[in-house]
Amino acid sequence: MDFSYVCLAAMGDTLEFNDIHQEVKGSWNDGRLRFSKQSVVYKSNKTGKVDSISAPELSDAQWRRVCLGHGIKLATSTGHVYKYDGFKETDFEKISAFFKANYKVELEEKDLCVKGWNWGTAKFAGSLLSFDVNDSPVFEIPLSSVSQCATGKNEVTVEFHQNDDAEVSLMEVRFYVPPNAGDDGSDPVEAFAQNILSKADVIQATGDAVCIFKELQCLTPRGRLTFDYKIPYTTVLRLFLLPHKDQRQMFFVISLDPPIKQGQTRYHFLILLFSKDEDMSLTLSMSEDEVEKRFEGKLSKNMSGPLYETVSRVMKALVNRKITVPGNFKGHSGSQCITCAYKASSGLLYPLERGFIYVHKPPVHLRFEEISCVNFARGTTTTRSFDFEIETKQNNQYTFSNIEREEYGKLFDFVNAKKLTIKNRGFKEGMKGADDYSDSDEDHHDAYLERMKEEGKIREEGDGSDDLQVISDESFNPGEEDDDVPEEYDSNASVSESEAEDGDSEDEGKKKKVEKKPKKLVKEKKERKPRKEKKVKDAGAPKRPMSAYMLWLNGNRERIKKENPGISVTEISKKAGEMWKKISKDQKEEWDKKAEEAKKQYEIAMREYKESGGGAAAVSKEKKKKAGKVEPKRKSGGEKEKKKEGGNDSFKSKEFISSEESTSDSDHDRGSKRKASDDDDEEEEEAASTPASSEDGSGSD
């Protein structure tokens, strides 16, 4: 359904809204909001974090217009403030009636101030700093987003935690505080700063440690330098305890939101590695009564056991989060993880009851709620492995490659049982167990296995085809084939190959190979097409008549130039064409009549011109010009052969020049011959260009 908002009411007990947004450090996170008689619950679609407000804690509720439509601001008796946006104006009556009936709270309408003033009153209400103008809020700052607060002469600078998901982040805000002493004589700047610091999320390590764990092996973050991190318990989102594939080590993964920062790198996960054989004894730096009162039996003052169990138990009690462990999934080797690679780094993929987690570089946690579909793809490097692709609803794709094909059946069954959308379901039609994806001869259909078998057959056939190709190349030997028909252009066309073989058998111990010369391709000479005689233009003939358009153009050319000063010749033709198209039929008929009259006059003038002999005179003149041109004589092929055979003793080619003759003499002879032949050609050209009267001897002498 392509809805931006959905409202459901079930028997008047609950109101549920989808696509409701919550602002978290400068970025909008969408999720679901549900109002029930007992509580208000909001679950983020991005992180899966759940905010729950019990009904007795609600103390104030406001309805106001915001950038995403309308929003609700909820305040609790403990001082916490929650804001949710994305409602429609028509939802006010439903929500107001529900609050009155179930929470005994009035939903008050209150608008924000949009005057743009920067002078007003700062009010502290719980964990919220509100800047008001005329009792209307201009903006509000959650003090939990404040990372540091510094004071100046009359200024207070407030710095904020940064959010990687926000495109634009607010770094700091400065407040000017007037230098007026308070009622008790205190400095107003320091009082303003203390109000902020009392509720701000400024990380400060104060007091004694409950316990200390030394020399723990940390995989992420990992570096050569030593860094100190102060991690508030409230930033711990999830805890994971995962067994290594070798069954001798354990991973303890801590998910953080917001992440810790090292330089420009942010780490959303802490990964600790423990050995199962390592034990320890721990004593908390608290009395037994304090331990019992604070942890309610979850911890004891003295504890002992495996190191990974002790650390996970203490962490669970301090941050008040559940520890996630692998579910019922077991791979081909019996382990609860799958060996694979992500971004060219080898690691382990753990299928959990509500998602997947990959350790360790980089760690990835994907919940089933944010997965759009999965895909099983053929491995790119070998057919012994496959790739597992996960596509999220935010259009992000994660590819886990180089998974052993024996894990295919187990993983497919797990994904199918969790009802995740599989893109290529044809890969595993009718799969019932892990044995279906094996090398046995059982008659179970596996599309992926069949495809790999087909590729193997094609590869084998390709290898066989290469051998056949060699055999066929060896069988083709022109010298050994029986070809009784002599080729037309063979060098030995008169003798057939069978006769040649008989002659070879008579010679003892001598075997001659009859070699075939390649066929000569004889190109047939194409007869040249006779040149077309150019039409002679008769200068005295009457000119052809103009068309109606040309007559109109000549009559309107000057008008077009006047209407469009500076227009070029090409633009005149373009403009005239456009104007001619717009002319009415009556106007065009007028010019058509003028063109018809011009055509009739041309035909009359042409007839008179031909009767007077104008056209014939031009043709005869052209013929005389052609007759005056005489082509030079060309020697025929027969004459050339005669000259080569016997005629000229003075001609000698390079092969027949004797060693007694010097190169200078031969060069001199060739030069004199070339000069003599040039003189002969000049005489022939003079004879061809001489008029006929001079040949008869009727000269002027």
Side-chain angles (χ1 to χ4, degrees):
M1 295 187 303
D2 190 14
F3 290 96
S4 60
Y5 155 88
V6 178
C7 176
L8 299 174
M11 300 176 62
D13 294 337
T14 61
L15 286 177
E16 187 171 346
F17 299 88
N18 291 335
D19 204 10
I20 300 299
H21 295 79
Q22 182 185 37
E23 189 269 332
V24 179
K25 297 177 182 177
S27 67
W28 291 101
N29 293 340
D30 63 323
R32 294 182 298 169
L33 181 65
R34 184 180 65 191
F35 299 106
S36 64
K37 290 183 178 182
Q38 295 79 19
S39 62
V40 178
V41 180
Y42 178 80
K43 185 174 183 179
S44 173
N45 291 337
K46 182 178 181 181
T47 62
K49 189 176 181 180
V50 178
D51 294 333
S52 181
I53 309 169
S54 62
E57 291 181 358
L58 282 176
S59 60
D60 186 31
Q62 291 182 3
W63 176 271
R64 52 190 183 176
R65 186 177 181 84
V66 292
C67 61
L68 295 178
H70 291 78
I72 290 180
K73 175 186 173 183
L74 303 177
T76 64
S77 57
T78 57
H80 292 86
V81 177
Y82 302 89
K83 293 185 289 184
Y84 305 105
D85 298 349
F87 297 95
K88 290 187 176 180
E89 188 176 1
T90 55
D91 299 328
F92 173 74
E93 295 180 359
K94 293 180 181 180
I95 299 174
S96 178
F98 189 87
F99 274 41
K100 285 181 182 179
N102 298 281
Y103 303 147
K104 309 301 180 185
V105 175
E106 186 74 23
L107 185 61
E108 179 186 1
E109 289 188 74
K110 193 166 187 178
D111 294 331
L112 298 174
C113 179
V114 292
K115 290 183 178 181
W117 292 5
N118 63 347
W119 185 270
T121 304
K123 294 181 180 180
F124 293 91
S127 61
L128 196 70
L129 169 60
S130 177
F131 184 80
D132 296 353
V133 175
N134 297 334
D135 293 331
S136 295
V138 178
F139 62 86
E140 296 172 338
I141 299 176
L143 295 180
S144 59
S145 300
V146 176
S147 63
Q148 194 54 263
C149 181
T151 59
K153 184 177 181 181
N154 291 319
E155 285 186 346
V156 176
T157 303
V158 180
E159 298 179 3
F160 301 97
H161 292 291
Q162 300 303 303
N163 188 356
D164 297 338
D165 299 328
E167 295 181 1
V168 180
S169 297
L170 179 63
M171 302 296 293
E172 65 177 28
V173 173
R174 293 185 181 182
F175 293 94
Y176 174 79
V177 182
N180 297 328
D183 298 337
D184 54 354
S186 61
D187 186 6
V189 175
E190 290 296 332
F192 189 88
Q194 288 300 321
N195 285 330
I196 294 176
L197 289 173
S198 62
K199 299 292 183 181
D201 188 14
V202 179
I203 301 174
Q204 296 177 347
T206 58
D208 297 330
V210 176
C211 61
I212 298 175
F213 297 99
K214 296 182 179 180
E215 297 181 359
L216 298 181
Q217 185 178 355
C218 185
L219 299 181
T220 303
R222 188 175 183 178
R224 296 181 180 178
L225 301 177
T226 302
F227 292 90
D228 293 334
Y229 299 99
K230 299 179 179 65
I231 304 171
Y233 294 148
T234 55
T235 62
V236 176
L237 192 61
R238 292 181 183 85
L239 301 173
F240 301 90
L241 189 60
L242 309 171
H244 198 281
K245 193 170 185 179
D246 59 8
Q247 303 299 326
R248 292 180 296 177
Q249 300 178 94
M250 296 290 292
F251 292 108
F252 185 61
V253 183
I254 304 171
S255 175
L256 302 175
D257 185 28
I260 59 175
K261 185 177 179 181
Q262 178 178 318
Q264 296 299 321
T265 307
R266 289 172 172 81
Y267 295 93
H268 293 266
F269 295 90
L270 297 179
I271 301 180
L272 305 175
L273 184 63
F274 300 96
S275 174
K276 283 187 175 182
D277 300 333
E278 189 175 358
D279 297 334
M280 75 165 299
S281 298
L282 179 67
T283 302
L284 301 181
S285 59
M286 301 171 67
S287 64
E288 293 184 359
D289 295 338
E290 289 176 344
V291 173
E292 182 66 27
K293 183 179 179 180
R294 181 174 177 180
F295 300 110
E296 299 177 353
K298 297 178 182 177
L299 297 177
S300 58
K301 182 176 176 60
N302 298 309
M303 294 182 291
S304 62
L307 179 59
Y308 72 91
E309 286 187 0
T310 306
V311 172
S312 59
R313 184 179 174 186
V314 171
M315 186 66 71
K316 178 182 177 182
L318 290 174
V319 303
N320 197 22
R321 297 287 183 184
K322 295 180 180 179
I323 296 179
T324 304
V325 297
N328 299 324
F329 175 82
K330 285 192 177 181
H332 176 71
S333 60
S335 61
Q336 294 178 302
C337 58
I338 296 173
T339 304
C340 61
Y342 176 66
K343 289 187 177 179
S345 297
S346 181
L348 300 173
L349 179 66
Y350 291 84
L352 308 175
E353 289 300 317
R354 295 184 180 180
F356 295 95
I357 186 170
Y358 172 82
V359 290
H360 75 289
K361 191 176 180 181
V364 178
H365 179 231
L366 299 170
R367 294 175 292 110
F368 292 156
E369 298 175 358
E370 58 182 330
I371 294 177
S372 173
C373 61
V374 299
N375 182 38
F376 292 88
R378 182 167 61 88
T380 56
T381 57
T382 176
T383 57
R384 298 290 301 177
S385 64
F386 67 95
D387 298 346
F388 182 56
E389 301 172 354
I390 299 177
E391 187 175 340
T392 65
K393 294 177 181 178
Q394 287 79 25
N395 295 326
N396 297 323
Q397 187 168 345
Y398 301 86
T399 302
F400 303 97
S401 58
N402 296 334
I403 303 176
E404 296 179 359
R405 72 172 191 178
E406 286 79 13
E407 305 285 0
Y408 173 69
K410 294 285 188 179
L411 184 58
F412 186 93
D413 290 343
F414 176 81
V415 171
N416 205 22
K418 296 301 178 182
K419 298 181 180 179
L420 296 177
T421 303
I422 302 174
K423 264 188 177 181
N424 52 349
R425 184 167 288 274
F427 268 36
K428 187 71 176 178
E429 291 292 338
M431 176 173 286
K432 296 180 181 179
D435 295 337
D436 293 345
Y437 196 72
S438 62
D439 293 331
S440 63
D441 297 330
E442 294 177 0
D443 189 13
H444 294 293
H445 177 68
D446 188 340
Y448 183 55
L449 183 59
E450 292 296 330
R451 182 186 296 183
M452 289 193 294
K453 287 181 178 179
E454 294 245 347
E455 290 177 358
K457 289 180 181 178
I458 293 172
R459 194 176 294 107
E460 290 176 2
E461 290 175 1
D463 297 339
S465 63
D466 293 340
D467 297 335
L468 292 174
Q469 186 69 26
V470 172
I471 294 170
S472 61
D473 289 345
E474 291 175 354
S475 63
F476 178 72
N477 192 340
E480 297 177 4
E481 283 183 348
D482 294 334
D483 191 1
D484 296 335
V485 182
E487 297 290 344
E488 184 179 356
Y489 297 102
D490 284 350
S491 60
N492 194 15
S494 59
V495 182
S496 64
E497 291 180 4
S498 60
E499 294 173 353
E501 290 177 1
D502 295 336
D504 293 341
S505 60
E506 293 175 359
D507 299 335
E508 295 179 0
K510 292 183 180 181
K511 293 184 179 180
K512 297 180 181 179
K513 294 184 179 179
V514 180
E515 296 182 358
K516 264 189 183 179
K517 289 187 178 180
K519 296 180 181 180
K520 296 179 181 178
L521 298 176
V522 180
K523 295 183 179 179
E524 296 181 358
K525 293 183 179 180
K526 296 182 179 179
E527 295 182 0
R528 294 182 180 178
K529 295 181 180 179
R531 294 181 180 178
K532 294 182 179 179
E533 294 184 1
K534 295 183 179 179
K535 292 184 179 181
V536 182
K537 187 175 181 180
D538 193 354
K543 293 183 179 180
R544 291 182 174 275
M546 293 185 181
S547 63
Y549 168 72
M550 292 303 298
L551 292 172
W552 172 85
L553 178 60
N554 290 338
N556 293 273
R557 191 185 301 274
E558 296 300 326
R559 181 170 65 86
I560 295 172
K561 288 182 179 180
K562 289 180 181 179
E563 293 177 356
N564 303 278
I567 191 171
S568 63
V569 178
T570 55
E571 291 176 352
I572 289 174
S573 303
K574 187 177 180 181
K575 185 70 175 177
E578 294 175 357
M579 294 173 64
W580 176 255
K581 290 180 181 179
K582 297 177 182 179
I583 290 177
S584 62
K585 290 184 179 180
D586 297 337
Q587 291 177 333
K588 284 187 178 181
E589 286 179 359
E590 179 183 350
W591 292 101
D592 289 338
K593 290 179 181 179
K594 291 182 180 181
E596 288 292 333
E597 291 177 2
K599 187 177 181 180
K600 290 179 182 179
Q601 292 177 3
Y602 168 75
E603 290 175 352
I604 294 170
M606 195 67 185
R607 195 181 307 115
E608 293 177 355
Y609 177 72
K610 287 182 179 180
E611 289 176 357
S612 62
V619 173
S620 61
K621 190 175 180 181
E622 182 66 21
K623 285 183 178 179
K624 286 181 180 179
K625 284 183 181 179
K626 289 183 178 180
K629 293 181 181 179
V630 179
E631 295 182 359
K633 293 181 181 180
R634 295 181 181 178
K635 295 179 181 181
S636 63
E639 293 177 356
K640 289 181 181 179
E641 292 294 332
K642 288 178 182 179
K643 199 168 186 178
K644 282 182 181 180
E645 286 177 4
N648 197 353
D649 295 333
S650 64
F651 174 78
K652 291 182 180 180
S653 63
K654 283 186 177 183
E655 290 82 3
F656 296 98
I657 293 176
S658 61
S659 59
E660 296 176 359
E661 294 178 343
S662 64
T663 56
S664 60
D665 294 341
S666 61
D667 292 341
H668 176 71
D669 294 340
R670 282 197 294 273
S672 61
K673 284 184 182 182
R674 193 179 297 112
K675 186 175 181 182
S677 62
D678 292 341
D679 294 338
D680 294 341
D681 293 340
E682 289 177 2
E683 289 176 5
E684 288 177 2
E685 289 177 2
E686 289 176 1
S689 60
T690 305
S693 59
S694 64
E695 289 179 4
D696 296 337
S698 58
S700 60
D701 49 322

